[in-house]
Amino acid sequence: QSALTQPAFVSGSPGQSISISCNGTSSDIGAYDYVSWYQQHPGKAPKVIIYDVSNRPSGVSNRFSGSKSGNTASLSISGLQSEDEADYYCCSYRRINRRVFGGGTKLTVL
Amino acid sequence: EVQLEESGGGLVHPGGSLRLSCAASGFTFSTYEMNWVRQAPGKGLEWVSYISSSGATIYYADSVQGRFTISRDNTKNSLFLQIDRLRGEDTAVYFCARGGEFGGFLAGPGTFDPWGQGTLVTVSS
């Protein structure tokens, strides 16, 4: 099972906005609105920040937003803060009855 | 407070077996689907297995099909992962994760919330 494709590294300065892409196929991202995004700080468990493409759990900053177009999903972070520095993973439901993660993106806040 | 706590990890020889456990608390365990997700050292996340709330429906990633067995005991609020014929590439932190629910509504498949802190499985001779 090949993973979804994410850029390995992304960086931005405090206050800037960045976007992380997640490329899939017509069997996963393109077929279902079941994309989620996870933030993982070193040594910690992942935390969901976006679910079902663009929904944000209560307590997650509105600086985080998600979207999807065709086979590609995107996570956007506005007003970058130092605490946003972490690894980010996308995840999608894949036919049939599978779940697949992206390879992960390391975000550096300069 | 909703909590998941994994246990059972350790050092195992190639070809060996291990049974991981995940103790759930703070929610009605029997009404939620559960998953195992693993992360090799310095690597990304990999979905491993899914089990429905009743235990009647089970799915596995192709990479573990036939060697891993997921199960649950709803009377003991516990999730399990039996890992047989362990290989070096199975070395990872294994997380249990619940299906997501937000505002009283279940999220779609592939949403995991919350997660446990993980248990490390090391396969080495």
Side-chain angles (χ1 to χ4, degrees):
Chain A
Q1 292 171 310
S2 56
L4 305 174
T5 303
Q6 298 180 231
F9 304 96
V10 167
S11 63
S13 299
Q16 286 188 331
S17 298
I18 63 97
S19 181
I20 299 172
S21 61
C22 175
N23 294 320
T25 69
S26 57
S27 294
D28 38 64
I29 293 177
Y32 306 97
D33 288 335
Y34 296 140
V35 179
S36 52
W37 288 89
Y38 299 86
Q39 178 191 62
Q40 186 180 34
H41 288 106
K44 300 294 187 181
K47 168 192 169 185
V48 63
I49 55 175
I50 296 290
Y51 67 95
D52 295 351
V53 177
S54 59
N55 293 290
R56 197 171 46 248
S58 174
V60 173
S61 172
N62 59 9
R63 298 184 298 104
F64 294 92
S65 62
S67 62
K68 187 188 90 166
S69 178
N71 296 339
T72 299
S74 298
L75 172 70
S76 296
I77 309 175
S78 62
L80 269 180
Q81 300 179 0
S82 58
E83 58 261 38
D84 298 333
E85 186 161 295
D87 294 328
Y88 292 83
Y89 295 91
C90 59
C91 181
S92 175
Y93 178 78
R94 171 181 282 178
R95 69 166 68 109
I96 298 170
N97 297 321
R98 298 290 184 270
R99 289 90 172 125
V100 59
F101 283 94
T105 298
K106 183 176 182 60
L107 170 62
T108 299
V109 180
L110 302 170
Chain B
E1 180 187 4
V2 174
Q3 283 193 319
L4 298 171
E5 184 173 358
E6 304 90 340
S7 61
L11 175 62
V12 187
H13 293 309
S17 297
L18 210 55
R19 190 191 196 209
L20 307 183
S21 299
C22 170
S25 61
F27 64 100
T28 306
F29 180 72
S30 61
T31 64
Y32 288 87
E33 61 189 35
M34 297 294 296
N35 294 266
W36 286 98
V37 177
R38 69 183 179 181
Q39 186 170 35
K43 302 297 184 181
L45 301 171
E46 179 187 17
W47 172 76
V48 171
S49 184
Y50 159 97
I51 187 168
S52 63
S53 57
S54 68
T57 302
I58 287 171
Y59 306 124
Y60 298 101
D62 291 347
S63 58
V64 306
Q65 181 81 44
R67 297 188 302 118
F68 287 23
T69 303
I70 191 173
S71 62
R72 65 190 296 160
D73 184 341
N74 286 342
T75 66
K76 296 182 179 178
N77 294 337
S78 294
L79 174 72
F80 306 101
L81 186 68
Q82 176 70 35
I83 311 176
D84 296 322
R85 303 195 303 280
L86 277 156
R87 307 166 180 168
E89 55 263 39
D90 295 322
T91 294
V93 174
Y94 286 74
F95 297 98
C96 63
R98 196 189 74 175
E101 179 188 45
F102 306 99
F105 296 93
L106 294 176
T111 299
F112 311 107
D113 178 69
W115 299 57
Q117 284 305 302
T119 186
L120 176 62
V121 173
T122 303
V123 184
S124 176
S125 54

